[in-house]
Amino acid sequence: MLYETLILPFVEFGFMQRALFGAFMLSLSACPVGVFLMLRRMSLTGDAMAHAILPGAAAGFLLYGLEIIPMTIGGLIAGVVVALGAGAVARFTIQKEDASMAAFYLISLSLGVLMVSSRGSSVDLMHVLFGTVLALNNDALILIAMVSVMTLCALGLFGRALVAECMDPLFFRSVSRLGSPVHFLFLGLVVTNLVAGFQALGTLLAVGLMILPAAGARFWTQSVATMCLLSVAIGLFSSAVGLLLSYHASLPSGPAIMLSAGSVYFFSVIASPRGLLLSHLRRSA
């Protein structure tokens, strides 16, 4: 019974195997990036950037259809343009960065939806917004694997610098020339992982695999390295459970993965050593 429920779907069906491999690769790269995004207090910025890639992906879709390379290149260009545009507005005007980022992402999201709707069907729009992890092809898996390898290599080489830049960016920039390059490297990792994630989870949910496992891991440990490992474990678990729920209950795969990660997050909020329950018991003792 357990074999038929938990293992057989991944053994019997190739689309489940590809979905699991893609989700696992995304978890290995996006979850540690999400930890740094959370430590920088940039979680909502990551959400804004996820929406910002939509016009570029939509432009690739309008020109070439659901082809992975044009949509990926378009998403990367749109993400970079929005990041630079929002940063320029914040730097040269009185507006703060959060407000300019919110304005840019709302414009980008609206523009992308209009672009897809103008030529595609509602099915195409749902594909771009929410992804189709159960329909990942070999090209998408190769892209996700390449992004994962690149991200893990970058984190291995610049991990200590990223931690230092997260904790005290002004001090780090004052004592090291790596401050600004590391900051832009991190933004590049965010954008590339969002572009890879949108192939499976769509532009609206791509950031979820970054933020939810990282937010859940934050309740269990204060060590950055342990937090990264735990967030990856939560991402892997949520991916497998979400795909099984999608298969057995005929649920949309992307939202099922996100709800699985959300369930782990709420469990962490309540039952972790730093969660509501134990914190309340310690105060009452």
Side-chain angles (χ1 to χ4, degrees), residues 20-42:
L20 186 66
F21 178 75
F24 275 15
M25 289 294 101
L26 284 174
S27 298
L28 287 174
S29 61
C31 292
V33 172
V35 169
F36 290 103
L37 201 63
M38 180 187 62
L39 292 176
R40 289 167 176 259
R41 300 181 180 178
M42 292 174 59

Side-chain angles (χ1 to χ4, degrees), residues 8 27 30 87 97 112 124 132 134 142 167 174 187 197 218 238-239:
L8 185 61
S27 298
E97 188 173 7
D124 295 324
T132 52
L134 293 179
I142 291 172
M167 299 307 177
S174 69
L187 292 179
R218 185 71 176 88
S238 302
S239 298

Side-chain angles (χ1 to χ4, degrees), residues 174-253:
S174 69
V175 300
S176 173
R177 295 180 179 180
L178 291 176
S180 294
V182 165
H183 179 70
F184 286 108
L185 169 68
F186 174 72
L187 292 179
L189 291 178
V190 172
V191 172
T192 52
N193 276 274
L194 288 174
V195 170
F198 116 84
Q199 305 293 337
L201 301 170
T203 58
L204 293 185
L205 296 178
V207 73
L209 204 56
M210 285 186 182
I211 300 303
L212 284 173
R218 185 71 176 88
F219 284 97
W220 296 92
T221 180
Q222 298 186 50
S223 166
V224 175
T226 307
M227 204 180 303
C228 289
L229 293 174
L230 185 55
S231 69
V232 169
I234 294 173
L236 297 176
F237 173 80
S238 302
S239 298
V241 171
L243 288 173
L244 288 172
L245 286 174
S246 174
Y247 175 80
H248 291 294
S250 299
L251 299 174
S253 52

Side-chain angles (χ1 to χ4, degrees), residues 48-261:
M49 291 301 301
H51 301 330
I53 67 176
L54 182 55
F61 166 75
L62 292 177
L63 293 174
Y64 298 97
L66 293 172
E67 294 290 334
I68 183 170
I69 294 179
M71 293 180 71
T72 298
I73 294 174
L76 282 171
I77 294 173
V80 171
V81 168
V82 169
L84 293 178
V89 170
R91 183 179 180 87
F92 297 112
T93 71
I94 61 172
Q95 194 168 65
K96 299 296 184 182
E97 188 173 7
D98 60 339
S100 62
M101 182 64 74
F104 270 79
Y105 106 74
L106 287 170
I107 294 169
S108 298
L109 179 61
S110 302
L111 178 61
V113 171
L114 286 177
M115 290 171 67
V116 176
S117 301
S118 66
R119 182 171 164 183
S121 65
S122 59
V123 175
D124 295 324
L125 181 60
M126 293 294 286
H127 170 84
V128 174
L129 292 178
F130 296 103
T132 52
V133 66
L134 293 179
L136 288 175
N137 56 28
N138 291 334
D139 291 337
L141 291 178
I142 291 172
L143 171 67
I144 293 171
M146 289 173 59
V147 170
S148 298
V149 171
M150 180 195 70
T151 301
L152 292 176
C153 289
L155 292 177
L157 290 172
F158 300 100
R160 292 174 63 88
L162 283 168
V163 172
E165 216 265 336
C166 278
M167 299 307 177
D168 196 338
L170 294 178
F171 174 77
F172 182 65
R173 292 175 191 180
S174 69
V175 300
S176 173
R177 295 180 179 180
L178 291 176
S180 294
V182 165
H183 179 70
F184 286 108
L185 169 68
F186 174 72
L187 292 179
L189 291 178
V190 172
V191 172
T192 52
N193 276 274
L194 288 174
V195 170
F198 116 84
Q199 305 293 337
L201 301 170
T203 58
L204 293 185
L205 296 178
V207 73
L209 204 56
M210 285 186 182
I211 300 303
L212 284 173
R218 185 71 176 88
F219 284 97
W220 296 92
T221 180
Q222 298 186 50
S223 166
V224 175
T226 307
M227 204 180 303
C228 289
L229 293 174
L230 185 55
S231 69
V232 169
I234 294 173
L236 297 176
F237 173 80
S238 302
S239 298
V241 171
L243 288 173
L244 288 172
L245 286 174
S246 174
Y247 175 80
H248 291 294
S250 299
L251 299 174
S253 52
I257 292 173
M258 291 302 100
L259 287 176
S260 300

Side-chain angles (χ1 to χ4, degrees), residues 266-279:
F266 281 119
F267 174 78
S268 301
V269 170
I270 295 171
S272 68
R274 306 174 68 190
L276 294 175
L277 184 59
L278 293 181
S279 297

